[in-house]
Amino acid sequence: METISRISSMLETGSVLAVVIPRLQSLTVDAREQLESSLWKLLSPLLSREGQVQASAAQIKKLLESRNDREVLDGMRKVISLIYSSEPSLPFFSAVVKNVASTNLEVKKLVYIYLVHHAEAEPDLALLSINTIQKSLTDQNPQVRVMALRTMSGIRVPVISQIVSLAIKRGCGDMSPHVRKAAALAIPKCYRLDPNTLPQLIGYLSTLLGDAQYFVAGPAVSAFLEVCPDRIDLIHKHYRSLVKKLVDMDEWGQLATLRLLTEYARKCFPRRTQKLKRAVSKGFYDDEKNDDGEGDGEEYEVPVIDPDLELLLRACKLLLHNRNAAVIVGVVRCFLYLAPPDYLAAVVGPLIALLRSPQDMQQIALYNIVVVALQHPQFFTKYTSHFLVHASDPSHIWRLKLEILTILFPHCGMHLKGVIINDLEHFSQGADAELVRESVRALGRCAQGEPSTADYCLNVLLRHITSQDDVLVSESLTVIRHLIQQDPASHERTVIQLVRNLGSTNSSEAKATIVWLVGEFAGVEPERNFAPDVLRILVQKFADEPEVVKQQIILLGAKVYLHHLLQNPPKQEAEAESTPESESKPEQQPGNEWADDAAEHNEPEVETKNEEQQAEEPQEDQIALLWRYILLLARYDTSYDLRDRARLYKALLANPSSTELANLLLLAPKPVPHAPSPSETRKNLLIGSSTLIIGPDAGPFGLQGYHDLPDWVESGQEPDPSLRESDIKPEPTERASMTAGERLDQALREHESNIAAMKRQQHGPAGIAPSTVKNKSLDQWLEEEESESEEETDSEEEVTGSEEEETDSEEGESEEETDEEEEEEETDEEDQEEARQLLTQDNFRPPASRGV
C-alpha cells in the first residue's frame, strides 16, 4: 500500500482516484471494505477541498456572469473572501468590472471594494469603470453617491486625478452632508495621487471648513492638516464656528481640531500680561500708617487671555467627559501649552481616571502625567495614593509610578511623605532585583528633593548595609555616597559607621565605595584623621581583594601620601630655602673669637633640633613606608591596569615639582551629584505624541512627522481680530443663554399678547363674552383670522408710510409743510388719543384692578 505522504502528494496532483481505485479491486471484499472506510475517513477532507479548488474558479465566473442579482452577489462574496484569505482573485477582474453598473446596492458595494483593492494592479481595466462610477455621482440615493466618490478617490491611478478633483468639487456642493464628508475625506487621497491639484483642493477646503454640519467640519480639518497645514489664513473666518462645533464632532474630528486650534492659538494670540498692585490694608484713620510702612502695594503680573482663546478653553472643558483617552490628552495639551496654570486643575482628575484603563493605556497616561508633573506637581498631590505600586504591576508601569512618587514627594504633607518612604523601603527589600534597585534610587531622589527628610532617608539606607542582598547593599552605598557629597563636613560620623561595616560586606562594589569615601576624608585635621589607619588595615589583605577594591586602595594610599607631603614638605626643599641665608652670612676667619663663642653657644640648640627631628622621623616614615609597600604590592599584581595606575601615582608623587599637578588630579573638588528624574530628557517633548512614549530611542528629532508647537507670536505681529468675525450677527447675550424650551415659551407668550392686542383693537370697548367665543364655528374663526391678517398688513403699511414721511421731513428741513402732511399728523394724534381712552376703560384693565 502507498504511504500517507504518497497519498497526500497524489491528492495535490489530482490523480489519487486513478491510483487508489484499481488497487482496491485486487483486494478481497472484507479487506476492501475496511480499507475503503478508513481511507475515506482520512481523505474526505482533502477530497472535498480539492473539489472546491477545482470547481471554484469556473463556478465563481459563472455566478459573476449570471443575470440574477442573487447569484452575482453570491459570486462577489466568494471573490471578496478569496481576497481576505490571501488567495489569487485577480483573474476575476474582467468579470467583476462588468457588474459595476449593477442596480443592486449590495453588489455595487462589493464591486467597489474589489476595484479599490486591485485597481493599481490592473489600471487599464480599472479605467473602464470610471464612466459608470461618474454616473453614480448623480444618483438620487446619497449612499450611492458617497460610495462612488470614495471609490473614485481610492483608485490609485494618476491619470484620473483631474476627474477625481471634479468629483470632489461636485461633492462639496452636494445637498447631503454625508457626500460632503466623503468629499472632505477624498481631498488627501487626491493630493497624494497628484500634488499638482493643490490649488483646486485648497478652494474646496475653504468651502468645507465653513460647513454648517459638524461631521463635515471634522474631516475637513483632518484634510487641512494633511494637505496645507501652513495656510492659517483659511482658518480665520472659520475659527469661532469650529470652536462651537468641537463638542459635537466625533473623536477623530475632535483630535484633529484640537491639534489645529492649538497651533492656531500659538500663531495668532500673543501672550499678554497686566500689572496689578496688591491690596494694602489701610488703617481706620487717615493718619494711621500701614503695617508694612509702605503707601502702595507691590506690583505683580497677571496673564491676560484673549476672548477668542478663552472661547476655545471653555469649549475644551466640555470635552473632559469624553470616552476617548486621546481626546482627554489633547485637552491636557491645549491647557498646558495655551492656558495659565490654574486651568490645569480641571484636567488632572480626568487624566488620573485613565489609570483605570488597560495596561497599554496606563503606560501612555503615566508618560503624559510625568511630563505635566515635572512642570506643575502641585496639582497631583491629592492623587498621590493612585501612584502607589501594586504587586501585579509590570515593570514598565511601576517604573513610571516610582518616578511620579519622587516628583510629588517634596510637595506632599508629612503623612504622605511617610507613606511614600515606607512603600519604597518595603519594595527595596523584595526579590525583584530591578525593583530593588529602582526603589533605592527613588529613596535617594526623595532625599535630594526634600532636605528636611534627608536624614531619615539616610538612616533607612544605612540599615540596608547589613543585608545579605548584594544588589541592595551596593545600590544603597551608591546613594549614600551621593548624599554624603551633598554636605561632606556633616557626614563624618556616617563614614565612620560605614567603615565599621567594611569587613562584614561581601559586595566588591560596596567595599570600593566605602574606601573611596574614606579617601575623601583623608585631608581632615590630624587629630581626627582616620584614613591612614583604615589604609593600614586594608593593606594587610590587599592580595585577596577584588580588582575594583585594589584600585580604590591604591587611590586611597596616593591621597594619604599626598596630604602627608603637603603638610610636611621634603627636606630638600627646606635645605634649598635655607641655603641663601647661609650664603649671606660672613665666613668665619681663623682667629675670630666671637664666632667660636657663638658656635659653642649654639651647639646645645642644634642638639635639641636633632632630637626633635629624630622624634618626628618615625611618624613620617610610617606613611612613606606604607606608600612604598603599596607600590610593591601593586608592582607584582597580575592586573595590567593596576600596575599602570601604581606607576602613574608613583611618578606623580616622587618628584616634588609635580606635587601641584598631583594635587589637581587627586584632590580636585568633585561636583555635587544630582540624580534627575529619568524622564527629564522627555520634558520638552510634545504631550500626546508617539515620540514622548518612545523617548530618546526615537532620535534627536523624534519620529517621522513629529514637529513641536510653534512659538508664541510676538505682540503687534498677530493677525487682525476682525478677520475672525463671521458674517452672521450673533444673537443677543440674553437670548443666546436661553434654552430651546425657554425660547418656545417666550415666543408663545409674545404670540398670545399680539393676538390679545389685535382683538382689543378689533372689538373696541365692548368686552367679549367667553360664551360667544366658545360658540364660534370653524368658518367664523377662519374669517376672523383673515380679517386680522388684513388689518396687520394695513397697520404695517401705515407705520412704514409714517416712518418714510418723518425721514423725508427731517432730510428736507423745509420751513413750510404741506396740507397733506398736516392732515396726516392730525389723524395720528387723534388715533393716539383714542387708544389712550380705550386703555383707560374698565374692559381693558387687568382682572385684579376690575375686582374680578
Side-chain angles (χ1 to χ4, degrees):
M1 295 178 64
E2 301 289 342
T3 60
I4 299 298
S5 60
R6 182 74 178 273
I7 293 173
S8 61
S9 62
M10 290 178 183
L11 283 172
E12 292 177 358
T13 56
S15 58
V16 64
L17 297 177
V19 175
V20 174
I21 291 175
R23 300 204 175 187
L24 289 176
Q25 295 177 355
S26 60
L27 298 176
T28 61
V29 177
D30 297 336
R32 187 188 306 170
E33 290 179 356
Q34 293 178 359
L35 185 60
E36 283 180 355
S37 61
S38 59
L39 190 62
W40 179 254
K41 291 179 182 179
L42 179 65
L43 300 181
S44 58
L46 299 176
L47 288 172
S48 60
R49 182 178 178 183
E50 181 186 7
Q52 289 178 2
V53 171
Q54 290 179 352
S56 61
Q59 184 181 1
I60 290 173
K61 286 185 178 179
K62 184 178 180 181
L63 291 174
L64 292 175
E65 293 174 356
S66 176
R67 295 183 179 180
N68 189 357
D69 289 343
R70 186 166 184 176
E71 293 181 356
V72 175
L73 182 61
D74 236 1
M76 287 303 307
R77 286 174 178 170
K78 293 183 178 180
V79 171
I80 299 301
S81 64
L82 292 176
I83 293 176
Y84 291 105
S85 60
S86 300
E87 294 185 9
S89 58
L90 194 60
F92 306 105
F93 199 98
S94 58
V96 171
V97 170
K98 294 178 182 178
N99 297 306
V100 73
S102 176
T103 56
N104 192 335
L105 191 59
E106 298 297 327
V107 174
K108 193 181 289 291
K109 287 180 183 179
L110 298 179
V111 171
Y112 285 165
I113 292 172
Y114 184 89
L115 283 175
V116 172
H117 192 81
H118 288 298
E120 198 171 0
E122 294 286 343
D124 296 334
L125 292 176
L127 291 176
L128 299 176
S129 61
I130 297 299
N131 290 333
T132 308
I133 297 174
Q134 275 186 304
K135 293 179 181 178
S136 299
L137 292 173
T138 59
D139 196 273
Q140 294 182 355
N141 190 351
Q143 189 176 2
V144 176
R145 299 199 298 270
V146 170
M147 290 192 303
L149 188 54
R150 287 179 181 175
T151 306
M152 187 173 291
S153 60
I155 295 176
R156 293 177 293 273
V157 180
V159 181
I160 63 170
S161 60
Q162 293 298 327
I163 301 176
V164 175
S165 177
L166 293 174
I168 295 173
K169 181 179 180 181
R170 182 189 294 272
C172 291
D174 199 280
M175 295 295 294
S176 175
H178 298 283
V179 181
R180 298 198 297 272
K181 178 181 177 181
L185 295 173
I187 287 176
K189 300 177 184 178
C190 183
Y191 177 71
R192 290 193 293 265
L193 193 64
D194 186 7
N196 296 325
T197 58
L198 180 60
Q200 305 170 14
L201 300 178
I202 290 176
Y204 307 153
L205 276 175
S206 180
T207 303
L208 293 173
L209 286 172
D211 198 278
Q213 294 293 334
Y214 58 88
F215 56 87
V216 179
V221 171
S222 302
F224 175 85
L225 290 174
E226 186 171 351
V227 174
C228 53
D230 298 329
R231 291 292 305 273
I232 297 296
D233 56 316
L234 300 177
I235 308 297
H236 291 317
K237 59 182 179 180
H238 306 302
Y239 171 79
R240 294 174 183 172
S241 64
L242 289 175
V243 172
K244 294 177 182 178
K245 298 170 190 172
L246 182 61
V247 182
D248 299 322
M249 293 181 184
D250 59 343
E251 287 86 352
W252 301 110
Q254 288 172 349
L255 287 174
T257 308
L258 284 173
R259 177 185 166 193
L260 172 64
L261 296 181
T262 304
E263 295 182 0
Y264 180 87
R266 282 293 192 103
K267 294 180 179 179
C268 299
F269 303 131
R271 303 183 72 176
R272 295 190 179 95
T273 56
Q274 183 180 0
K275 291 185 177 180
L276 299 177
K277 290 185 178 181
R278 299 186 184 276
V280 179
S281 59
K282 294 184 179 181
F284 183 77
Y285 298 102
D286 295 337
D287 57 349
E288 188 175 351
K289 295 183 179 180
N290 300 329
D291 297 337
D292 55 358
E294 297 180 359
D296 298 330
E298 296 179 357
E299 291 186 354
Y300 64 98
E301 292 185 351
V302 177
V304 179
I305 306 177
D306 191 275
D308 284 332
L309 179 57
E310 190 175 2
L311 180 67
L312 172 61
L313 298 178
R314 287 202 305 268
C316 289
K317 282 186 178 180
L318 301 176
L319 300 178
L320 294 176
H321 302 284
N322 200 292
R323 60 183 179 181
N324 195 333
V327 177
I328 302 296
V329 175
V331 175
V332 175
R333 176 178 57 197
C334 183
F335 281 9
L336 181 64
Y337 298 126
L338 299 181
D342 298 339
Y343 279 79
L344 287 174
V347 302
V348 172
L351 194 57
I352 297 295
L354 298 180
L355 298 179
R356 295 193 291 267
S357 305
Q359 290 183 356
D360 53 347
M361 296 299 299
Q362 284 186 36
Q363 183 183 11
I364 296 173
L366 286 171
Y367 271 118
N368 290 278
I369 290 173
V370 167
V371 175
V372 180
L374 285 172
Q375 302 181 27
H376 305 283
Q378 64 275 12
F379 297 111
F380 293 91
T381 52
K382 61 181 180 181
Y383 299 102
T384 305
S385 60
H386 291 76
F387 304 110
L388 296 177
V389 179
H390 299 160
S392 60
D393 289 338
S395 61
H396 61 275
I397 298 296
W398 57 252
R399 286 178 190 274
L400 293 170
K401 285 188 175 181
L402 290 179
E403 184 177 359
I404 295 174
L405 288 176
T406 56
I407 294 172
L408 303 182
F409 182 80
H411 305 274
C412 295
M414 294 304 298
H415 173 69
L416 288 177
K417 287 179 181 178
V419 171
I420 292 173
I421 292 176
N422 292 335
D423 195 57
L424 294 177
E425 184 180 4
H426 170 73
F427 284 105
S428 64
Q429 299 174 358
D432 189 356
E434 289 296 325
L435 182 57
V436 169
R437 186 178 291 109
E438 292 297 329
S439 299
V440 174
R441 292 176 182 176
L443 274 172
R445 291 198 298 271
C446 290
Q448 290 183 3
E450 184 62 26
S452 62
T453 59
D455 295 337
Y456 183 73
C457 294
L458 186 61
N459 293 331
V460 173
L461 294 171
L462 287 174
R463 290 198 294 267
H464 294 164
I465 297 175
T466 58
S467 175
Q468 299 297 324
D469 189 358
D470 293 342
V471 177
L472 177 60
V473 174
S474 61
E475 199 64 39
S476 298
L477 281 171
T478 303
V479 175
I480 290 171
R481 176 172 62 85
H482 291 168
L483 295 178
I484 290 175
Q485 285 183 265
Q486 301 282 337
D487 188 10
S490 62
H491 290 287
E492 185 177 350
R493 294 183 179 179
T494 306
V495 178
I496 295 174
Q497 185 178 354
L498 293 175
V499 172
R500 291 174 182 173
N501 297 320
L502 189 60
S504 60
T505 56
N506 298 322
S507 175
S508 58
E509 295 181 358
K511 286 185 178 180
T513 302
I514 296 175
V515 174
W516 185 88
L517 286 173
V518 173
E520 290 298 306
F521 288 86
V524 298
E525 298 178 3
E527 293 81 5
R528 298 184 293 108
N529 192 359
F530 54 89
D533 294 333
V534 175
L535 180 63
R536 178 177 55 82
I537 296 171
L538 290 172
V539 166
Q540 297 176 3
K541 298 182 179 181
F542 181 84
D544 299 331
E545 297 290 348
E547 184 178 352
V548 180
V549 182
K550 289 180 181 179
Q551 293 175 0
Q552 296 300 326
I553 291 174
I554 293 176
L555 180 60
L556 175 61
K559 289 181 179 180
V560 171
Y561 185 62
L562 179 58
H563 282 295
H564 173 69
L565 293 178
L566 294 175
Q567 295 174 1
N568 303 308
K571 294 181 180 180
Q572 295 179 358
E573 296 181 1
E575 292 177 358
E577 292 176 357
S578 62
T579 49
E581 297 178 358
S582 61
E583 290 176 357
S584 63
K585 292 181 180 180
E587 295 182 359
Q588 295 181 359
Q589 299 294 334
N592 244 345
E593 296 179 358
W594 62 271
D596 295 336
D597 295 338
E600 290 176 1
H601 182 70
N602 291 332
E603 282 180 359
E605 294 180 0
V606 173
E607 290 178 359
T608 57
K609 290 181 179 178
N610 291 333
E611 290 176 359
E612 292 176 357
Q613 290 177 359
Q614 289 176 2
E616 292 177 357
E617 279 179 0
Q619 184 178 1
E620 294 177 358
D621 291 339
Q622 285 180 2
I623 296 177
L625 289 173
L626 187 61
W627 172 240
R628 294 194 194 98
Y629 181 65
I630 292 172
L631 292 178
L632 287 174
L633 290 174
R635 180 178 181 182
Y636 297 103
D637 196 86
T638 57
S639 174
Y640 291 98
D641 186 17
L642 202 64
R643 298 200 297 266
D644 293 342
R645 287 172 184 262
R647 280 196 290 269
L648 174 63
Y649 297 150
K650 180 180 179 181
L652 282 174
L653 300 175
N655 191 359
S657 61
S658 61
T659 305
E660 295 182 359
L661 179 61
N663 189 14
L664 291 174
L665 290 176
L666 298 177
L667 303 180
K670 277 73 175 177
V672 177
H674 177 68
S677 181
S679 296
E680 194 71 27
T681 56
R682 308 175 190 235
K683 185 177 181 179
N684 297 323
L685 294 176
L686 188 64
I687 284 184
S689 62
S690 301
T691 306
L692 175 64
I693 310 302
I694 299 175
D697 298 336
F701 304 105
L703 297 174
Q704 184 179 2
Y706 172 82
H707 65 280
D708 206 349
L709 286 176
D711 296 331
W712 287 94
V713 64
E714 296 182 1
S715 182
Q717 297 182 1
E718 70 275 10
D720 190 2
S722 62
L723 296 175
R724 291 188 290 273
E725 294 180 359
S726 57
D727 298 334
I728 303 173
K729 294 183 179 180
E731 296 181 353
T733 55
E734 296 180 357
R735 187 172 178 81
S737 60
M738 295 172 61
T739 62
E742 292 175 351
R743 292 182 184 180
L744 289 174
D745 294 338
Q746 184 181 4
L748 183 60
R749 287 194 297 269
E750 292 176 357
H751 179 65
E752 290 178 352
S753 61
N754 293 334
I755 291 177
M758 294 303 299
K759 286 181 179 179
R760 285 195 294 270
Q761 292 180 4
Q762 180 180 1
H763 296 285
I768 303 174
S771 60
T772 57
V773 174
K774 290 182 180 179
N775 296 328
K776 285 184 179 180
S777 63
L778 180 61
D779 297 332
Q780 292 176 352
W781 278 106
L782 293 175
E783 291 174 0
E784 190 173 301
E785 288 179 359
E786 289 177 1
S787 62
E788 288 177 0
S789 61
E790 291 175 0
E791 289 176 0
E792 286 178 1
T793 53
D794 295 337
S795 61
E796 288 177 358
E797 290 176 0
E798 289 176 0
V799 172
T800 53
S802 61
E803 290 177 355
E804 291 176 359
E805 289 170 358
E806 288 176 1
T807 54
D808 294 337
S809 62
E810 291 176 356
E811 293 176 357
E813 295 180 356
S814 60
E815 298 179 357
E816 297 180 355
E817 296 181 355
T818 59
D819 297 335
E820 295 177 355
E821 292 176 353
E822 292 178 355
E823 292 177 357
E824 290 176 356
E825 290 179 359
E826 291 176 358
T827 53
D828 291 337
E829 291 176 357
E830 292 176 356
D831 293 336
Q832 291 177 1
E833 290 178 359
E834 291 179 0
R836 291 193 193 97
Q837 293 176 0
L838 290 173
L839 290 173
T840 54
Q841 292 178 0
D842 293 338
N843 293 330
F844 292 94
R845 292 179 184 175
S849 62
R850 283 184 273 144
V852 178

